[in-house]
């Protein structure tokens, strides 16, 4: 049985982003948000024994790692299989999470190490479990309620849909993360609607067939 999702609301914490990760003099409007932009951290995300002791649990230590990432919401799973969701930044914070999606989309980051395309998966990559699915679903539900006014029919895109440089993160948010999102109750119920063909910039790209 999958453990209950542990949610950590860290939006009241001091901003942990460094220079180049956010625009402190720019404020986003909650009313202007169109939906969610999905990302993958692209590395194995763990915790230190010192932080596990400091914050009282592995789940809490994992959640607090999200404060240093530009995604408004991050989700992951502990070594013991506990799904975790961190509300790391308020919606008004202009973080540089997704190029042309920075202003109008809530950044949702997956703490997983997955290949851009499943055909390239190796044993080094994160094995996706029901705990990951539970964490993603909770992250999307909270994005809708806590950041997007409880609306339905919200746009759900990947970083690939918002890239604006010739050599950009076109493999983000990965095939695995897309699959988890599209299977979620947040998508199945119509709260979020995947928009695979959206291109926010001339250099943005639609999803490849493997992601659909």
């Amino acid at each position: 049985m999958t453990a209950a999702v542990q949610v950590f609301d860290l939006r009241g914490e001091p901003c942990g982003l460094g220079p180049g990760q956010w625009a402190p003099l720019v404020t986003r409007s909650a009313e202007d948000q169109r939906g969610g932009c999905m990302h993958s951290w692209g590395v194995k995300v763990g915790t230190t024994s010192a932080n596990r002791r400091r914050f009282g649990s592995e789940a809490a230590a994992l959640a607090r790692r999200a404060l240093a990432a530009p995604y408004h919401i991050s989700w992951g799973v502990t070594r013991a299989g506990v799904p975790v969701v961190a509300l790391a930044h308020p919606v008004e914070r202009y973080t540089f999470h997704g190029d042309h999606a920075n202003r109008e989309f809530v950044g949702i980051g997956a703490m997983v190490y997955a290949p851009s395309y499943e055909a390239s998966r190796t044993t080094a990559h994160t094995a996706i479990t029901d705990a990951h699915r539970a964490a993603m679903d909770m992250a999307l539900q909270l994005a809708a309620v806590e950041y997007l006014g409880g609306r339905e029919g919200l746009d759900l895109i990947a970083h690939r849909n918002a890239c604006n440089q010739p050599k950009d993160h076109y493999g983000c948010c990965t095939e695995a993360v897309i699959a988890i999102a599209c299977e979620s109750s947040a998508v199945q119920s119509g709260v979020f609607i995947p928009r695979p063909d959206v291109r926010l910039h001339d250099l943005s790209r639609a999803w490849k067939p493997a992601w659909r």
Side-chain angles (χ1 to χ4, degrees), residues 25-50:
L25 299 181
V26 180
T27 300
R28 304 188 332 156
S29 168
E31 291 74 21
D32 290 341
Q33 300 305 299
R34 294 172 51 182
C37 180
M38 297 181 291
H39 304 265
S40 171
W41 280 40
V43 295
K44 290 188 175 181
V45 185
T47 60
T48 64
S49 58

Side-chain angles (χ1 to χ4, degrees), residues 24-169:
L25 299 181
V26 180
T27 300
R28 304 188 332 156
S29 168
E31 291 74 21
D32 290 341
Q33 300 305 299
R34 294 172 51 182
C37 180
M38 297 181 291
H39 304 265
S40 171
W41 280 40
V43 295
K44 290 188 175 181
V45 185
T47 60
T48 64
S49 58
N51 279 340
R52 291 193 291 273
R53 289 192 301 269
R54 178 183 178 188
F55 300 117
S57 69
E58 183 183 4
L62 184 64
R64 295 190 73 86
R65 290 206 57 184
L67 293 171
Y71 316 117
H72 296 89
I73 301 174
S74 284
W75 62 267
V77 176
T78 69
R79 295 172 301 171
V82 177
V84 173
V85 175
L87 308 183
H89 305 289
V91 68
E92 294 83 7
R93 185 167 293 156
Y94 193 110
T95 70
F96 299 145
H97 70 87
D99 299 315
H100 249 59
N102 288 342
R103 183 176 294 278
E104 297 179 337
F105 286 82
V106 172
I108 304 171
M111 294 175 171
V112 299
Y113 174 48
S116 297
Y117 303 98
E118 285 297 292
S120 301
R121 175 172 286 277
T122 71
T123 56
H125 291 115
T126 302
I128 302 302
T129 67
D130 286 343
H132 292 88
R133 296 182 180 92
M136 167 61 111
D137 191 49
M138 180 64 76
L140 290 175
Q141 297 286 3
L142 289 173
V145 173
E146 296 288 335
Y147 288 79
L148 297 164
R151 290 177 282 151
E152 297 183 351
L154 297 160
D155 291 343
L156 188 63
I157 65 171
H159 189 174
R160 178 183 176 88
N161 300 106
C163 290
N164 59 11
Q165 300 293 328
K167 294 183 179 180
D168 215 325
H169 297 104

